[in-house]
Amino acid sequence: MQPNLPNDPHAVHAEHPNRQFDQETSSGRQVSLLTGMLLGAAIGGLLTLLSSSSRQNTKQSLRGAKDSVSTLASTIKEDPSGKASQVINQVKSASSIIQEVASDVQNVYDKVNTELETVKTDASSVKETVNETKGDLNSISSKVVEAKDVALGKEEAPPEHQPNNAQHDDSKQDHSQSNK
């Protein structure tokens, strides 16, 4: 058994296992994960600015953003209610377009569902037809085998397929009389 040390970090971690992302600074304050991420982003941004091309691109982007904001601010100062009504009209227009899109999506969905039901019905019909055809082909196959066996003399033809003997005899008599 090990003695407990007064400032043992492992003992603190064992008591609070979910605090693995918190770190204590030398003054005892805790640095949150979000603060650490923001600090890391700021340091990364500063390191990126060491490159002269990155600095120039950043300056140009910031100037463009500043100009856009100042233009928007002056427009709003000159006519705040006009700008507000313009924004409201743009939002209403966008809303109506979104409603049309939603309606179109619903129509496409309904059409696809209808077509899907038709395809399912057709597939069932095709399956039934295939099963019927399969049964018919099995019947034909067995009749072909039976005809082959009868032709080879392996079995006799069923009575319904045997030639009518009386009719056969009459034809022989007619044939023999005509020969006389």
Side-chain angles (χ1 to χ4, degrees):
M1 182 166 178
Q2 296 178 352
N4 288 336
L5 301 175
N7 293 322
D8 186 11
H10 298 291
V12 172
H13 180 68
E15 292 174 13
H16 304 287
N18 293 333
R19 291 189 165 195
Q20 59 189 345
F21 295 111
D22 291 342
Q23 296 178 355
E24 289 189 22
T25 61
S26 59
S27 63
R29 293 185 325 174
Q30 291 186 350
V31 178
S32 69
L33 178 63
L34 182 62
T35 305
M37 288 173 47
L38 291 175
L39 186 62
I43 291 171
L46 290 174
L47 288 176
T48 303
L49 291 178
L50 291 177
S51 165
S52 63
S53 62
S54 295
R55 278 195 309 271
Q56 294 300 323
N57 289 338
T58 304
K59 284 180 186 178
Q60 288 175 349
S61 297
L62 289 175
R63 283 186 194 131
K66 178 186 167 196
D67 292 343
S68 297
V69 169
S70 59
T71 303
L72 181 62
S74 64
T75 305
I76 291 174
K77 274 184 182 178
E78 291 172 7
D79 186 19
S81 61
K83 192 63 176 175
S85 64
Q86 180 186 359
V87 169
I88 289 171
N89 288 337
Q90 288 173 337
V91 169
K92 284 181 181 178
S93 296
S95 175
S96 69
I97 292 171
I98 289 172
Q99 287 176 346
E100 288 177 26
V101 168
S103 175
D104 290 346
V105 167
Q106 184 64 42
N107 290 338
V108 168
Y109 177 77
D110 292 342
K111 184 177 179 181
V112 167
N113 271 343
T114 303
E115 291 297 321
L116 187 60
E117 288 302 318
T118 303
V119 168
K120 284 181 182 178
T121 304
D122 290 348
S124 298
S125 176
V126 167
K127 185 178 178 182
E128 289 174 14
T129 303
V130 166
N131 287 336
E132 290 174 9
T133 305
K134 187 177 177 183
D136 292 345
L137 288 174
N138 285 337
S139 174
I140 290 170
S141 174
S142 64
K143 287 180 183 177
V144 167
V145 169
E146 182 180 341
K148 176 194 78 147
D149 289 344
V150 168
L152 295 175
K154 292 184 179 178
E155 68 178 57
E156 280 191 34
E160 67 267 9
H161 292 280
Q162 288 185 354
N164 191 344
N165 289 338
Q167 197 178 37
H168 184 64
D169 290 339
D170 289 342
S171 65
K172 282 184 181 178
Q173 288 175 356
D174 289 340
H175 191 292
S176 61
Q177 286 177 357
S178 61
N179 287 338
K180 290 183 183 179

